C-alpha cells in the first residue's frame, strides 16, 4: 500500500471557526455572526467572535504547521473581511485583503503550500438581507464572481483554489433543517421564514452556478498567467445496505450518495442532476438553462472530497414528505444482522469506518472517470474529550487510530484500486468553533485552551501524521 511520490498533505481550518477578530480592521458581519446572536441556535451560546484568535496569531499557526511537518495548509477567506458588504459595487476593505496576502507570503516562506477555500459558509450578512443571499439566482453568482476575481488578482501566488466548501451543508442545513445559518426551515417552531420543500434545492442550484462563474473567471483571466487549479469541495458519507439481501436497500445506498454528492458532482461532470433526484423532487429541483450548463459542466480541475463517516441505509416505501432530502430512506448505525458501523464520537453524525472511505473513493472514481482527488477534510471528534484534563486530552489515541486507519485505507485505494488521490488534509489543525455545537466538540490535532488565552497544546495526533505519511508515500 502506498501513495504517489509527490502526494501533498497537511491540515485544514475555516475562517469563521478559527479567526476571531470579528470586528477587527473593518470586517463586516457574516450570516454566522447574526445566527450566533439568536438565542438557542448554538449549543453553548457561543460565537466565533474570538474563536482561536487566529487573525492575531498567524505566526503561531504557521510555526505550529511547520513543527508538525505539514506540507500544505487549507484555510478559508472571510468574504466580509475583504468586501464588508459583499456586493460587486461595494467597497473593498484593503486591510482585510492585505491580511490574507501576507498570510500566503508567510506560508510560502515557511515552505507550506496554501490551498484557499473562497467560501466556507460565512456569507456577508448584507447580501442575505439585500436580496436573500444564496436564494438569488442572478445576484449571488455575480457577487461571488466579483469577490473571487478580487481575491485571485490579489493573491497570484496561491495555485490551489476551492470555490465552495460543502454546498450540501449550506443548502440542507441552512435552508431545510435550519440547523446552520441562515436558519431557514419550514419548521415554524424554529424559524419564521423558510420553505424546506424548495429553498434547499434553489440554494444548491445557485451555488453551482456561482461556482461555475468563479471557475470561468479563473480560467479565462488568471490561469493562463498564474497556472493554478480550481475545484469544489463536496461532503458525503459511505453507505452500506441495512439488509444486503434486499435489492431496494442496495439501490437506496446509491440514491443516498446521489442526493448528497451527485446533486453537485453530476452537474459538474455531466451537466445535469441525477435522475433519482429529478424523479423524487420534480420541478422543485431547478432546471439548468443552456448558459448555466455551459458554466457548470466541466468546471472541476480536481475533486475536493470531505469525508468522515458511513451509515447503513434502509429504503423507505411510499411517497416521501416534501422536506425529505435523503432520498426516501433511513440512515442507521446498525445493520439488520446487528453489525455496528463504528464507535461513537462526540458528534451525533460521526462514527469511524475506514473501509467506507476506500469504498467511497472507488465509487466516486468510477462514476466520475477517475478524477484527481484532494481529500480536503477528514478527521474525528472524541466522545467526552472536552471533559478530560489536559494531560489526558493530549493523549488522543482514538484520533491517532482514526487517522492511521483512514490514511491506510486511502493508500490502498491509491495503489491497489487505481484511485487518483493526490492530497489529504486532516480536519482540523486545532480545536475550533464547531458551528451549532459550539466549542464543546473538538476536532483539533491541537488542543486550544479557551480559558487561557487560546493557548495551543499539540495532541499526540498532531505529531502522528508525519511519520504515517512518511511510511506510505513512495520515495521514488
Ligand atoms: C464539516 N453533519 O462539516 C465542515 O466542513 C467543517 O467546517 C466542520 O467543522 C467539520 O465537518 C466537522 O463537523 C460538517 O451534520 C458538519 O452531517 C456537519 C455535518 C457534516 C459535515
Amino acid at each position: 500500500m502506498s501513495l504517489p511520490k509527490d502526494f501533498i498533505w497537511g491540515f485544514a481550518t475555516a475562517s469563521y471557526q478559527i479567526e476571531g477578530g470579528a470586528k477587527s480592521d473593518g470586517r463586516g458581519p457574516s450570516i454566522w455572526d447574526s445566527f450566533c446572536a439568536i438565542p438557542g441556535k448554538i449549543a453553548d451560546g457561543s460565537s466565533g467572535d474570538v474563536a482561536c484568535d487566529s487573525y492575531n496569531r498567524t505566526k503561531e499557526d504557521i510555526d505550529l504547521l511547520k513543527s508538525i511537518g505539514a506540507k500544505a495548509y487549507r484555510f478559508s477567506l472571510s468574504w466580509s473581511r475583504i468586501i464588508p458588504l459583499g456586493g460587486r459595487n461595494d467597497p473593498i476593505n484593503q486591510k482585510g485583503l492585505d491580511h490574507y496576502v501576507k498570510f500566503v507570503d508567510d506560508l510560502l516562506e515557511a515552505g507550506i503550500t496554501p490551498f484557499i477555500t473562497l467560501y466556507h459558509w460565512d456569507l456577508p450578512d448584507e447580501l442575505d438581507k439585500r436580496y436573500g443571499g444564496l436564494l438569488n439566482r442572478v445576484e449571488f453568482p455575480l457577487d461571488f464572481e466579483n469577490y473571487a476575481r478580487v481575491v485571485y488578482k490579489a493573491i497570484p501566488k496561491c495555485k490551489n483554489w476551492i470555490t465552495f466548501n460543502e454546498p450540501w451543508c449550506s443548502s440542507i442545513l441552512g435552508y431545510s433543517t435550519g440547523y446552520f445559518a441562515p436558519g431557514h426551515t419550514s419548521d415554524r417552531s424554529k424559524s419564521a421564514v423558510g420553505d424546506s420543500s424548495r429553498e434547499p434545492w434553489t440554494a444548491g442550484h445557485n451555488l453551482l452556478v456561482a461556482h461555475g462563474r468563479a471557475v470561468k473567471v479563473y480560467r479565462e483571466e488568471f490561469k493562463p498567467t498564474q497556472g493554478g487549479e480550481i475545484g469544489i469541495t463536496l461532503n458525503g458519507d459511505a453507505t452500506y445496505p441495512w439488509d444486503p439481501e434486499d435489492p431496494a436497500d442496495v439501490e437506496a445506498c446509491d440514491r443516498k450518495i446521489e442526493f448528497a454528492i451527485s446533486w453537485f458532482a453530476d452537474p459538474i461532470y455531466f451537466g445535469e442532476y441525477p435522475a433519482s433526484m429529478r424523479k423524487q423532487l420534480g420541478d422543485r429541483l431547478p432546471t439548468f438553462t443552456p448558459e448555466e450548463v455551459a458554466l457548470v459542466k466541466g468546471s472541476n480541475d480536481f475533486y475536493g472530497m470531505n469525508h468522515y463517516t458511513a451509515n447503513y441505509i434502509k429504503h423507505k416505501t411510499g411517497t416521501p414528505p416534501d422536506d425529505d432530502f435523503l432520498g426516501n430512506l433511513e440512515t442507521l448505525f446498525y445493520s439488520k444482522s446487528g453489525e455496528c458501523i463504528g464507535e461513537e464520537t462526540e458528534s451525533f453524525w460521526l462514527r469511524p469506518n475506514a473501509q467506507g472511505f476506500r469504498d467511497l473513493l472507488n465509487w466516486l472514481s468510477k462514476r466520475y472517470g477517475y478524477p484527481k482527488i484532494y481529500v480536503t477534510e477528514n478527521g474525528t471528534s472524541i466522545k467526552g474529550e472536552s471533559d478530560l484534563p489536559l494531560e489526558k486530552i493530549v493523549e488522543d489515541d482514538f484520533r491517532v487510530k482514526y487517522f492511521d486507519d483512514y490514511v491506510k485505507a486511502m493508500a490502498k485505494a491509491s495503489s491497489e484500486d487505481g484511485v487518483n488521490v493526490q492530497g489529504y488534509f486532516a480536519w482540523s489543525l486545532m480545536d475550533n468553533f464547531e458551528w451549532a455545537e459550539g466549542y464543546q466538540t473538538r476536532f483539533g490535532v491541537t488542543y486550544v485552551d479557551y480559558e487561557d488565552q487560546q493557548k495551543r497544546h499539540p495532541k499526540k495526533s498532531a505529531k502522528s501524521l508525519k511519520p504515517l505519511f512518511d511510511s506510505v508515500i513512495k520515495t521514488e
Side-chain angles (χ1 to χ4, degrees):
M1 121 188 91
S2 66
L3 291 166
K5 183 171 160 273
D6 37 15
F7 192 89
I8 192 153
W9 67 273
F11 301 86
T13 60
S15 49
Y16 192 70
Q17 294 183 273
I18 67 160
E19 284 183 353
K23 300 206 169 99
S24 301
D25 297 337
R27 177 184 178 276
S30 78
I31 53 172
W32 272 93
D33 295 272
S34 304
F35 191 66
C36 291
I38 304 171
K41 297 299 181 192
I42 310 301
D44 54 8
S46 65
S47 76
D49 272 357
V50 178
C52 308
D53 194 31
S54 283
Y55 186 70
N56 299 304
R57 289 167 199 253
T58 52
K59 182 173 177 335
E60 213 177 306
D61 287 354
I62 293 173
D63 288 346
L64 172 63
L65 284 161
K66 240 175 131 170
S67 73
I68 56 183
K71 294 198 205 178
Y73 182 44
R74 171 179 180 239
F75 61 100
S76 80
L77 310 184
S78 160
W79 182 345
S80 61
R81 232 183 242 302
I82 296 171
I83 308 174
L85 298 175
R88 56 199 183 281
N89 298 314
D90 296 320
I92 291 172
N93 176 35
Q94 197 58 42
K95 275 192 178 167
L97 187 53
D98 288 348
H99 168 82
Y100 294 116
V101 173
K102 175 158 176 10
F103 187 57
V104 166
D105 283 347
D106 293 349
L107 278 171
L108 288 168
E109 194 166 320
I112 298 165
T113 304
F115 276 65
I116 296 184
T117 311
L118 292 171
Y119 184 90
H120 200 123
W121 308 349
D122 42 357
L123 182 78
D125 201 41
E126 169 65 16
L127 301 186
D128 190 51
K129 298 200 162 79
R130 193 180 281 171
Y131 56 67
L134 311 191
L135 295 177
N136 192 307
R137 192 163 175 167
V138 175
E139 297 297 323
F140 172 68
L142 287 172
D143 283 345
F144 184 71
E145 173 190 304
N146 170 72
Y147 157 60
R149 184 186 283 110
V150 166
V151 171
Y152 303 146
K153 192 166 172 215
I155 317 182
K157 292 182 196 166
C158 178
K159 308 296 178 195
N160 303 279
W161 299 96
I162 293 154
T163 53
F164 290 99
N165 179 73
E166 305 189 344
W168 183 93
C169 287
S170 297
S171 308
I172 297 298
L173 306 180
Y175 292 91
S176 179
T177 66
Y179 182 62
F180 278 7
H184 287 208
T185 174
S186 290
D187 181 346
R188 290 287 167 262
S189 71
K190 288 199 192 135
S191 170
V193 285
D195 174 358
S196 304
S197 76
R198 286 185 181 269
E199 285 187 0
W201 315 114
T202 302
H205 188 84
N206 300 342
L207 285 161
L208 276 165
V209 175
H211 159 80
R213 282 198 169 277
V215 170
K216 183 174 152 73
V217 164
Y218 188 69
R219 287 180 176 167
E220 289 180 356
E221 300 172 27
F222 298 94
K223 192 168 174 151
T225 50
Q226 297 182 3
E229 294 197 325
I230 187 161
I232 196 168
T233 277
L234 305 177
N235 61 298
D237 309 333
T239 57
Y240 294 104
W242 178 74
D243 177 2
E245 306 297 315
D246 185 343
D249 283 355
V250 175
E251 203 185 304
C253 282
D254 280 346
R255 199 163 64 244
K256 165 74 168 57
I257 304 176
E258 287 168 356
F259 269 71
I261 294 175
S262 309
W263 173 12
F264 301 99
D266 274 18
I268 288 173
Y269 287 92
F270 308 142
E272 59 189 357
Y273 288 119
S276 59
M277 293 185 75
R278 179 64 66 198
K279 188 173 170 210
Q280 178 175 321
L281 302 170
D283 73 355
R284 291 187 282 129
L285 189 65
T287 309
F288 287 98
T289 65
E291 294 76 31
E292 288 175 336
V293 174
L295 286 167
V296 174
K297 192 178 176 184
S299 58
N300 252 2
D301 294 333
F302 59 84
Y303 181 101
M305 176 182 186
N306 283 4
H307 180 74
Y308 290 90
T309 192
N311 282 121
Y312 290 111
I313 304 299
K314 192 174 186 215
H315 77 281
K316 282 187 183 171
T317 49
T319 309
D322 261 10
D323 63 353
D324 177 61
F325 53 81
L326 291 174
N328 208 20
L329 51 89
E330 275 177 86
T331 59
L332 299 161
F333 294 134
Y334 287 88
S335 72
K336 187 183 181 189
S337 61
E339 279 167 291
C340 181
I341 202 79
E343 281 178 75
E344 268 186 90
T345 66
E346 186 68 21
S347 310
F348 66 89
W349 52 273
L350 200 174
R351 286 170 179 250
N353 185 307
Q355 181 61 37
F357 187 24
R358 181 175 179 179
D359 290 341
L360 187 62
L361 280 161
N362 274 280
W363 193 98
L364 293 172
S365 297
K366 281 193 194 113
R367 188 169 179 114
Y368 300 114
Y370 290 79
K372 168 153 109 177
I373 296 175
Y374 288 126
V375 176
T376 42
E377 283 179 30
N378 175 241
T380 192
S381 58
I382 303 178
K383 185 114 201 123
E385 187 178 16
S386 266
D387 305 326
L388 299 172
L390 179 59
E391 63 270 22
K392 288 254 167 54
I393 287 181
V394 294
E395 296 293 315
D396 61 338
D397 294 296
F398 185 86
R399 189 173 284 109
V400 171
K401 183 173 176 348
Y402 180 98
F403 287 131
D404 197 72
D405 291 346
Y406 272 74
V407 168
K408 286 176 177 162
M410 171 174 70
K412 285 181 189 151
S414 171
S415 59
E416 294 172 29
D417 309 338
V419 164
N420 183 16
V421 58
Q422 299 285 347
Y424 175 97
F425 295 84
W427 184 271
S428 176
L429 176 63
M430 60 193 131
D431 296 335
N432 57 48
F433 177 69
E434 180 54 13
W435 308 110
E437 290 172 55
Y439 292 97
Q440 179 72 12
T441 303
R442 295 174 180 270
F443 271 85
V445 298
T446 305
Y447 176 78
V448 176
D449 192 342
Y450 303 110
E451 315 279 86
D452 181 16
Q453 298 171 53
Q454 338 303 107
K455 202 162 173 258
R456 277 84 157 132
H457 302 268
K459 305 174 192 175
K460 199 191 260 183
S461 58
K463 298 155 211 158
S464 73
L465 285 172
K466 182 167 163 35
L468 174 59
F469 278 104
D470 283 347
S471 75
V472 285
I473 295 176
K474 283 195 215 150
T475 49
E476 56 179 73

Coordinates of all heavy atoms in Angstrom, one line a residue, residues 217-271:
V217 N -14.0 32.7 -14.6 CA -13.1 33.8 -14.4 C -11.7 33.4 -14.1 O -10.7 34.0 -14.7 CB -13.6 34.7 -13.2 CG1 -12.6 35.7 -12.8 CG2 -14.9 35.4 -13.7
Y218 N -11.5 32.4 -13.3 CA -10.1 32.0 -13.0 C -9.5 31.4 -14.3 O -8.3 31.8 -14.6 CB -10.1 30.9 -11.9 CG -8.7 30.6 -11.5 CD1 -7.9 31.5 -10.8 CD2 -8.0 29.4 -11.9 CE1 -6.6 31.3 -10.5 CE2 -6.7 29.2 -11.6 CZ -6.0 30.2 -10.9 OH -4.7 29.9 -10.6
R219 N -10.2 30.6 -15.0 CA -9.6 30.0 -16.2 C -9.3 31.0 -17.3 O -8.3 31.0 -18.0 CB -10.5 28.9 -16.8 CG -10.5 27.7 -15.9 CD -11.4 26.6 -16.4 NE -11.3 25.4 -15.6 CZ -12.2 24.4 -15.7 NH1 -13.2 24.4 -16.6 NH2 -12.0 23.3 -15.0
E220 N -10.2 32.0 -17.5 CA -10.0 33.0 -18.6 C -9.1 34.1 -18.2 O -8.3 34.5 -19.0 CB -11.4 33.5 -19.0 CG -12.2 32.5 -19.7 CD -13.6 33.1 -20.1 OE1 -13.9 34.2 -19.8 OE2 -14.3 32.3 -20.8
E221 N -9.1 34.6 -17.0 CA -8.4 35.8 -16.6 C -7.1 35.5 -15.8 O -6.2 36.4 -15.8 CB -9.3 36.8 -15.9 CG -10.5 37.2 -16.7 CD -11.5 38.0 -15.8 OE1 -11.1 38.7 -14.9 OE2 -12.7 38.0 -16.2
F222 N -7.0 34.4 -15.2 CA -5.9 34.2 -14.3 C -5.0 33.0 -14.5 O -3.8 33.0 -14.4 CB -6.3 34.2 -12.8 CG -7.0 35.5 -12.5 CD1 -8.3 35.7 -12.6 CD2 -6.2 36.6 -12.1 CE1 -8.9 36.9 -12.3 CE2 -6.8 37.8 -11.8 CZ -8.2 38.0 -11.9
K223 N -5.7 31.9 -14.9 CA -5.0 30.6 -15.0 C -3.8 30.7 -16.1 O -2.8 30.2 -15.9 CB -5.9 29.5 -15.4 CG -5.3 28.1 -15.3 CD -6.4 27.0 -15.4 CE -5.7 25.7 -15.5 NZ -6.6 24.6 -14.9
P224 N -4.1 31.4 -17.2 CA -3.0 31.5 -18.2 C -1.7 32.1 -17.7 O -0.6 31.6 -18.1 CB -3.6 32.4 -19.3 CG -5.1 32.2 -19.2 CD -5.3 32.1 -17.7
T225 N -1.8 33.0 -16.7 CA -0.6 33.6 -16.2 C -0.2 33.0 -14.9 O 1.0 32.8 -14.5 CB -0.7 35.1 -16.0 OG1 -1.9 35.4 -15.3 CG2 -0.7 35.8 -17.3
Q226 N -1.2 32.6 -14.1 CA -0.9 32.1 -12.7 C -0.7 30.5 -12.7 O 0.0 30.0 -11.8 CB -2.0 32.5 -11.7 CG -2.1 34.0 -11.6 CD -3.2 34.4 -10.6 OE1 -3.8 33.6 -9.9 NE2 -3.4 35.7 -10.4
G227 N -1.3 29.9 -13.6 CA -1.1 28.4 -13.7 C -1.7 27.5 -12.6 O -1.2 26.4 -12.4
G228 N -2.6 28.0 -11.8 CA -3.1 27.2 -10.7 C -4.3 26.3 -11.1 O -4.6 26.2 -12.3
E229 N -4.9 25.7 -10.1 CA -6.1 24.8 -10.4 C -7.2 25.2 -9.4 O -7.0 25.8 -8.4 CB -5.7 23.4 -10.1 CG -4.6 22.8 -11.1 CD -4.6 21.3 -11.1 OE1 -4.7 20.7 -10.0 OE2 -4.3 20.8 -12.1
I230 N -8.4 24.8 -9.9 CA -9.6 25.2 -9.1 C -10.6 24.1 -9.1 O -10.8 23.4 -10.1 CB -10.2 26.5 -9.6 CG1 -11.3 27.0 -8.7 CG2 -10.6 26.4 -11.1 CD1 -11.6 28.5 -8.9
G231 N -11.3 23.9 -8.0 CA -12.3 22.9 -7.9 C -13.3 23.2 -6.7 O -13.2 24.3 -6.1
I232 N -14.2 22.3 -6.5 CA -15.2 22.5 -5.4 C -15.0 21.3 -4.4 O -14.5 20.3 -4.8 CB -16.6 22.5 -6.0 CG1 -17.7 23.0 -5.0 CG2 -17.0 21.1 -6.5 CD1 -19.0 23.3 -5.6
T233 N -15.4 21.6 -3.2 CA -15.3 20.5 -2.2 C -16.7 20.0 -1.8 O -17.5 20.8 -1.4 CB -14.5 21.0 -0.9 OG1 -13.1 20.9 -1.2 CG2 -14.9 20.2 0.3
L234 N -16.9 18.7 -1.9 CA -18.2 18.1 -1.6 C -18.1 17.2 -0.4 O -17.1 16.5 -0.3 CB -18.7 17.4 -2.8 CG -18.8 18.2 -4.1 CD1 -19.3 17.4 -5.3 CD2 -19.8 19.4 -3.9
N235 N -19.1 17.1 0.4 CA -19.1 16.2 1.5 C -20.0 15.0 1.2 O -21.0 15.2 0.5 CB -19.5 16.9 2.8 CG -20.9 17.4 2.8 OD1 -21.2 18.3 2.0 ND2 -21.8 16.9 3.6
G236 N -19.7 13.9 1.8 CA -20.6 12.7 1.6 C -20.1 11.5 2.4 O -18.9 11.4 2.6
D237 N -21.0 10.7 2.9 CA -20.7 9.6 3.7 C -20.8 8.3 2.9 O -21.4 8.3 1.8 CB -21.7 9.5 4.8 CG -21.9 10.8 5.6 OD1 -20.9 11.6 5.6 OD2 -23.0 11.0 6.2
A238 N -20.1 7.3 3.3 CA -20.2 6.0 2.7 C -21.5 5.3 3.1 O -22.0 5.6 4.1 CB -19.0 5.1 3.1
T239 N -22.0 4.4 2.2 CA -23.2 3.7 2.5 C -23.1 2.2 2.4 O -22.5 1.7 1.5 CB -24.3 4.2 1.6 OG1 -23.9 4.0 0.2 CG2 -24.6 5.7 1.7
Y240 N -23.8 1.5 3.3 CA -23.9 0.0 3.2 C -25.4 -0.3 3.4 O -26.1 0.3 4.2 CB -23.0 -0.6 4.3 CG -21.6 -0.4 4.0 CD1 -20.9 0.6 4.8 CD2 -20.9 -1.0 3.0 CE1 -19.5 0.8 4.6 CE2 -19.5 -0.8 2.8 CZ -18.9 0.1 3.6 OH -17.5 0.4 3.3
P241 N -25.8 -1.3 2.7 CA -27.3 -1.7 2.8 C -27.6 -2.3 4.3 O -26.8 -3.0 4.8 CB -27.5 -2.8 1.8 CG -26.1 -3.3 1.4 CD -25.1 -2.2 1.7
W242 N -28.7 -1.8 4.8 CA -29.1 -2.3 6.1 C -29.3 -3.9 6.0 O -28.9 -4.6 6.8 CB -30.4 -1.6 6.5 CG -31.0 -2.1 7.8 CD1 -30.6 -1.9 9.0 CD2 -32.2 -3.0 7.9 NE1 -31.4 -2.5 10.0 CE2 -32.3 -3.2 9.3 CE3 -33.1 -3.6 7.0 CZ2 -33.4 -4.0 9.8 CZ3 -34.1 -4.3 7.5 CH2 -34.3 -4.5 8.9
D243 N -30.0 -4.2 4.8 CA -30.1 -5.7 4.5 C -29.5 -5.9 3.2 O -30.1 -5.6 2.1 CB -31.6 -6.0 4.5 CG -31.9 -7.5 4.1 OD1 -30.9 -8.2 3.9 OD2 -33.1 -7.9 4.0
P244 N -28.3 -6.5 3.1 CA -27.6 -6.7 1.8 C -28.4 -7.6 0.9 O -28.2 -7.6 -0.3 CB -26.3 -7.3 2.2 CG -26.2 -7.4 3.7 CD -27.5 -7.0 4.3
E245 N -29.4 -8.4 1.4 CA -30.2 -9.3 0.6 C -31.3 -8.6 -0.1 O -32.0 -9.1 -1.0 CB -30.8 -10.4 1.5 CG -29.8 -11.2 2.3 CD -28.8 -12.0 1.4 OE1 -29.3 -12.6 0.4 OE2 -27.6 -11.9 1.7
D246 N -31.6 -7.3 0.4 CA -32.8 -6.6 -0.2 C -32.3 -5.6 -1.2 O -31.6 -4.6 -1.0 CB -33.5 -5.9 1.0 CG -34.7 -5.2 0.5 OD1 -34.9 -5.0 -0.7 OD2 -35.5 -4.8 1.4
P247 N -32.6 -5.9 -2.5 CA -32.2 -5.0 -3.6 C -32.6 -3.6 -3.4 O -31.9 -2.6 -3.9 CB -32.9 -5.6 -4.9 CG -33.4 -7.0 -4.5 CD -33.5 -7.0 -3.0
A248 N -33.7 -3.4 -2.7 CA -34.2 -2.0 -2.5 C -33.3 -1.2 -1.6 O -33.1 0.0 -1.7 CB -35.6 -2.0 -1.9
D249 N -32.7 -1.9 -0.6 CA -31.7 -1.3 0.3 C -30.4 -1.0 -0.5 O -29.7 0.0 -0.3 CB -31.4 -2.2 1.5 CG -32.5 -2.1 2.6 OD1 -33.4 -1.3 2.3 OD2 -32.4 -2.8 3.6
V250 N -30.0 -2.0 -1.3 CA -28.8 -1.8 -2.1 C -28.9 -0.6 -3.0 O -28.0 0.3 -3.1 CB -28.5 -3.1 -3.0 CG1 -27.3 -2.9 -3.9 CG2 -28.3 -4.3 -2.0
E251 N -30.1 -0.5 -3.7 CA -30.4 0.6 -4.6 C -30.4 2.0 -3.8 O -29.9 3.0 -4.2 CB -31.7 0.4 -5.2 CG -31.9 1.1 -6.5 CD -33.3 0.9 -7.0 OE1 -33.8 -0.2 -7.2 OE2 -34.0 1.9 -7.2
A252 N -31.0 1.9 -2.6 CA -31.0 3.1 -1.7 C -29.7 3.6 -1.4 O -29.5 4.8 -1.1 CB -31.9 2.9 -0.5
C253 N -28.7 2.7 -1.3 CA -27.3 3.1 -1.0 C -26.8 4.1 -2.0 O -26.1 5.1 -1.7 CB -26.4 1.9 -0.9 SG -26.6 1.0 0.6
D254 N -27.0 3.8 -3.3 CA -26.5 4.7 -4.4 C -27.3 6.0 -4.3 O -26.8 7.1 -4.5 CB -26.7 4.0 -5.7 CG -25.6 3.0 -6.0 OD1 -24.6 3.1 -5.3 OD2 -25.7 2.2 -7.0
R255 N -28.7 5.8 -4.1 CA -29.5 7.0 -4.1 C -29.1 8.0 -3.0 O -29.1 9.2 -3.2 CB -31.0 6.6 -3.9 CG -31.9 7.7 -4.3 CD -33.3 7.1 -4.5 NE -33.9 6.6 -3.3 CZ -34.2 5.3 -3.1 NH1 -34.0 4.4 -4.0 NH2 -34.8 5.0 -1.9
K256 N -28.7 7.5 -1.8 CA -28.2 8.3 -0.7 C -27.0 9.1 -1.2 O -26.9 10.3 -0.9 CB -27.9 7.4 0.5 CG -27.0 8.1 1.6 CD -27.8 9.1 2.4 CE -27.1 9.6 3.7 NZ -25.9 10.2 3.5
I257 N -26.1 8.5 -1.9 CA -24.9 9.2 -2.3 C -25.2 10.2 -3.4 O -24.7 11.3 -3.5 CB -23.8 8.3 -2.8 CG1 -23.4 7.3 -1.7 CG2 -22.5 9.0 -3.2 CD1 -22.4 6.2 -2.1
E258 N -26.2 9.8 -4.3 CA -26.6 10.8 -5.3 C -27.2 12.0 -4.7 O -26.9 13.1 -5.1 CB -27.6 10.1 -6.3 CG -26.9 9.1 -7.2 CD -27.8 8.1 -7.9 OE1 -29.1 8.2 -7.7 OE2 -27.3 7.3 -8.7
F259 N -28.1 11.9 -3.7 CA -28.7 13.0 -3.0 C -27.7 13.9 -2.3 O -27.9 15.1 -2.1 CB -29.8 12.6 -2.1 CG -31.2 12.5 -2.7 CD1 -31.5 11.5 -3.6 CD2 -32.2 13.5 -2.4 CE1 -32.7 11.5 -4.3 CE2 -33.4 13.5 -3.1 CZ -33.7 12.4 -4.0
A260 N -26.6 13.3 -1.8 CA -25.6 14.1 -1.1 C -24.5 14.6 -2.0 O -24.2 15.8 -2.0 CB -24.9 13.2 0.0
I261 N -24.0 13.8 -2.9 CA -22.8 14.2 -3.6 C -23.1 14.5 -5.1 O -22.7 15.5 -5.6 CB -21.7 13.0 -3.6 CG1 -21.2 12.9 -2.1 CG2 -20.6 13.3 -4.6 CD1 -20.2 11.8 -1.9
S262 N -23.8 13.5 -5.7 CA -24.1 13.7 -7.2 C -25.0 14.9 -7.5 O -25.0 15.4 -8.6 CB -24.7 12.4 -7.8 OG -23.9 11.3 -7.4
W263 N -25.8 15.3 -6.5 CA -26.5 16.5 -6.6 C -25.6 17.7 -7.2 O -26.0 18.4 -8.1 CB -27.0 16.9 -5.2 CG -27.7 18.2 -5.0 CD1 -28.2 19.1 -6.0 CD2 -28.1 18.8 -3.8 NE1 -28.8 20.2 -5.4 CE2 -28.7 20.1 -4.1 CE3 -27.9 18.5 -2.4 CZ2 -29.2 20.9 -3.1 CZ3 -28.4 19.3 -1.4 CH2 -29.0 20.5 -1.8
F264 N -24.4 17.7 -6.7 CA -23.5 18.7 -7.2 C -22.5 18.2 -8.2 O -22.1 18.8 -9.2 CB -22.7 19.3 -6.0 CG -23.6 20.0 -5.0 CD1 -24.0 19.3 -3.8 CD2 -24.2 21.2 -5.3 CE1 -24.9 19.9 -2.9 CE2 -25.1 21.8 -4.4 CZ -25.4 21.1 -3.2
A265 N -22.0 16.9 -8.0 CA -21.0 16.4 -8.9 C -21.5 16.0 -10.3 O -20.8 16.2 -11.3 CB -20.3 15.2 -8.2
D266 N -22.8 15.6 -10.4 CA -23.3 15.2 -11.7 C -23.4 16.5 -12.6 O -22.9 16.4 -13.7 CB -24.7 14.5 -11.6 CG -24.6 13.0 -11.4 OD1 -23.5 12.6 -11.0 OD2 -25.6 12.3 -11.6
P267 N -24.0 17.6 -12.1 CA -23.9 18.8 -13.0 C -22.5 19.2 -13.4 O -22.3 19.6 -14.5 CB -24.6 19.8 -12.1 CG -25.5 19.1 -11.2 CD -24.8 17.8 -10.9
I268 N -21.6 19.0 -12.5 CA -20.2 19.5 -12.7 C -19.5 18.5 -13.8 O -18.8 19.0 -14.6 CB -19.4 19.6 -11.4 CG1 -19.9 20.8 -10.7 CG2 -17.9 19.7 -11.7 CD1 -19.3 21.0 -9.3
Y269 N -19.8 17.2 -13.6 CA -19.1 16.3 -14.5 C -20.0 16.0 -15.8 O -19.4 15.6 -16.8 CB -18.7 15.0 -13.8 CG -17.5 15.3 -12.9 CD1 -17.7 15.7 -11.6 CD2 -16.2 15.3 -13.4 CE1 -16.6 16.0 -10.7 CE2 -15.1 15.6 -12.6 CZ -15.3 15.9 -11.3 OH -14.2 16.2 -10.5
F270 N -21.3 16.0 -15.6 CA -22.2 15.5 -16.7 C -23.1 16.6 -17.2 O -23.8 16.4 -18.3 CB -23.1 14.3 -16.3 CG -22.3 13.2 -15.7 CD1 -22.8 12.5 -14.6 CD2 -21.0 12.8 -16.2 CE1 -22.1 11.4 -14.0 CE2 -20.3 11.8 -15.6 CZ -20.9 11.1 -14.5
G271 N -23.3 17.7 -16.5 CA -24.2 18.8 -16.9 C -25.7 18.6 -16.6 O -26.5 19.3 -17.1

